[in-house]
Amino acid sequence: MTRILAIESSCDETAVAITEDGKLLANVVATQISVHEKYGGVMPEIASRLHAENITVCLTEALRQAKCKLEDIDAFAVTRGPGLIGCLHVGLQAAKTLAMLYKKPLIPVHHLAGHIYANQYVGEFKYPMLCVVVSGGNTELVIMKGELDFEIIGETLDDAVGECYDKVARVLGLPYPGGLPIDQHAKLGQPVYPIHRPKMPHDTYNFSYSGIKTQVINMVNTMKMKGEVVNIDDMACSFQRVAVGMITDRAMRAAKNYGVKQIVLAGGVSANSYLRDQMQKKVKGTSIELIIPPLWCTTDNAAMIAKVAEKLYVRKVFAPLTLGVDPNWRLDEWDKFE
Ligand code: KG4
């Protein structure tokens, strides 16, 4: 029997999960959204302080849910990156302290590997597989040909799609995080505003969101200056068609070119209803299977970190207690750490 305790603190959620032979015994998430809301985005300094305040409470609650003690844990896993440096530090220090005190292995986990492996709570992976990783900090298309075998075939050249949703929401006066409000308003609107995709090579798998963001911000500000009323539903819909269209087109082209058996959606933006609908429509009638994560594992949590840690435990991928965080850790370098 193997019990793993995993910690996630890369952005604005402090999370602790405990698994026993793959079964989730505890999954605690303390979100800071209500604090960052008033700033319209995550304030890194405040986020790290809150992680420091919340981590012990989350650990205690996870142990209570799992009905076990720290002595019963076989390994301590933690998100080492990517993420906000100060935030990552809090989780890492906690995991290192526990690993040292209880003389158990320390397992360094890549945050995006976590988002991808969250889907294993839904179904088994079939390779080759395409992962559509869309979150507040990352936008990547990843091909997996086997367990923990990640090849990044496309990524954003500037902003992440989630960040773009949040900035567009802000200019429209919608609350933070902006993904869900935009998703909801878009359902009520029509794509009447001329928002264009960036001009990029037709065969690229890369993304670019800063131009789309600037188009919306400029259009809204110009309309306001002229005293025109911005229809929020229509603007959200016009923006979302373009933002999501770029993801679905590239994903389907990659899926066909790489002959994938499965596509999995991962990350906060995979909660988007239009993205989910569009992907379902596009795989219909093909042999490609689509895994859509349940909403609870689209946002940051430690259950997904524990899922990756289970694989790393079997492979004995353990880190020394001198381990440092890496805010820019690349997914294809998940086994390179120090
Ligand atoms: O995965 P996540 O928690 O962040 C990172 O780990 O980077 O994702 C948060 C992002 C935010 O930008 C939020 O606006 C977006 O996911 N999001 C959505 C939706 N729900 C959350 N974006 C579009 N549609 C949604 N329904």
Side-chain angles (χ1 to χ4, degrees):
M1 188 176 70
T2 308
R3 283 206 183 123
I4 293 177
L5 184 149
I7 298 174
E8 155 66 40
S9 70
S10 64
C11 190
D12 57 351
E13 265 94 28
T14 320
V16 177
I18 299 174
T19 56
E20 183 182 283
D21 294 335
K23 189 169 157 252
L24 195 56
L25 298 184
N27 187 25
V28 177
V29 182
T31 182
Q32 310 174 357
I33 284 178
S34 59
V35 177
H36 300 293
E37 213 170 27
K38 54 180 168 290
Y39 305 103
V42 177
M43 292 290 282
E45 182 57 31
I46 296 176
S48 356
R49 282 167 198 264
L50 288 173
H51 283 305
E53 275 177 30
N54 293 341
I55 188 75
T56 321
V57 182
C58 291
L59 280 166
T60 312
E61 174 59 14
L63 291 164
R64 192 194 64 78
Q65 280 183 14
K67 297 188 182 59
C68 68
K69 299 193 285 294
L70 284 167
E71 292 83 345
D72 305 328
I73 304 294
D74 297 296
F76 294 96
V78 64
T79 303
R80 176 188 175 249
L84 298 169
I85 188 163
C87 298
L88 290 165
H89 265 301
V90 177
L92 185 71
Q93 295 314 324
K96 276 161 79 167
T97 307
L98 293 168
M100 187 174 70
L101 267 175
Y102 293 92
K103 299 187 176 45
K104 293 288 164 55
L106 174 69
I107 304 181
V109 179
H110 193 285
H111 181 73
L112 298 184
H115 272 305
I116 292 170
Y117 273 88
N119 285 288
Q120 284 204 345
Y121 286 106
V122 185
E124 279 307 304
F125 290 173
K126 291 178 194 154
Y127 307 109
M129 182 177 100
L130 173 73
C131 316
V132 180
V133 184
V134 281
S135 74
N138 300 84
T139 310
E140 290 182 5
L141 289 186
V142 178
I143 292 288
M144 287 182 72
K145 293 194 178 127
E147 185 179 278
L148 296 168
D149 175 3
F150 305 108
E151 184 194 346
I152 303 168
I153 59 162
E155 58 196 317
T156 183
L157 303 176
D158 39 62
D159 297 347
V161 59
E163 186 185 342
C164 187
Y165 262 90
D166 295 340
K167 296 286 158 50
V168 165
R170 184 151 76 174
V171 75
L172 292 176
L174 300 172
Y176 171 84
L180 183 59
I182 296 245
D183 194 0
Q184 289 165 335
H185 278 281
K187 282 185 192 150
L188 309 170
Q190 293 298 320
V192 293
Y193 292 112
I195 308 293
H196 303 289
R197 274 197 204 182
K199 286 196 172 59
M200 294 175 84
H202 72 279
D203 55 350
T204 188
Y205 295 125
N206 286 332
F207 300 88
S208 170
Y209 279 101
S210 76
I212 299 177
K213 175 186 74 181
T214 310
Q215 280 181 67
V216 178
I217 293 174
N218 287 347
M219 198 179 286
V220 170
N221 287 339
T222 308
M223 287 174 77
K224 279 184 189 160
M225 273 189 308
K226 288 184 183 163
E228 294 170 16
V229 176
V230 181
N231 183 313
I232 295 180
D233 297 342
D234 289 345
M235 188 60 84
C237 181
S238 308
F239 158 72
Q240 179 157 279
R241 293 280 170 115
V242 178
V244 170
M246 197 152 57
I247 300 169
T248 53
D249 284 4
R250 281 160 176 61
M252 289 314 292
R253 184 153 40 83
K256 283 182 187 133
N257 289 346
Y258 283 83
V260 305
K261 293 200 175 107
Q262 227 175 25
I263 301 179
V264 306
L265 302 185
V269 182
S270 70
N272 185 268
S273 63
Y274 182 64
L275 173 63
R276 289 167 169 242
D277 287 355
Q278 287 297 305
M279 287 303 294
Q280 263 157 347
K281 283 192 184 124
K282 288 192 188 269
V283 296
K284 209 169 170 194
T286 72
S287 58
I288 304 168
E289 192 183 304
L290 176 69
I291 301 192
I292 294 187
L295 288 180
W296 73 265
C297 63
T298 58
T299 45
D300 289 348
N301 63 81
M304 66 185 197
I305 303 304
K307 193 47 95 183
V308 180
E310 284 162 14
K311 323 273 172 209
L312 301 182
Y313 185 83
V314 173
R315 293 174 179 226
K316 294 195 168 26
V317 179
F318 302 147
L321 290 175
T322 51
L323 181 74
V325 300
D326 185 351
N328 302 311
W329 203 11
R330 279 183 65 86
L331 181 60
D332 47 9
E333 295 185 349
W334 64 268
D335 52 350
K336 294 186 180 62
F337 49 83
E338 52 197 36

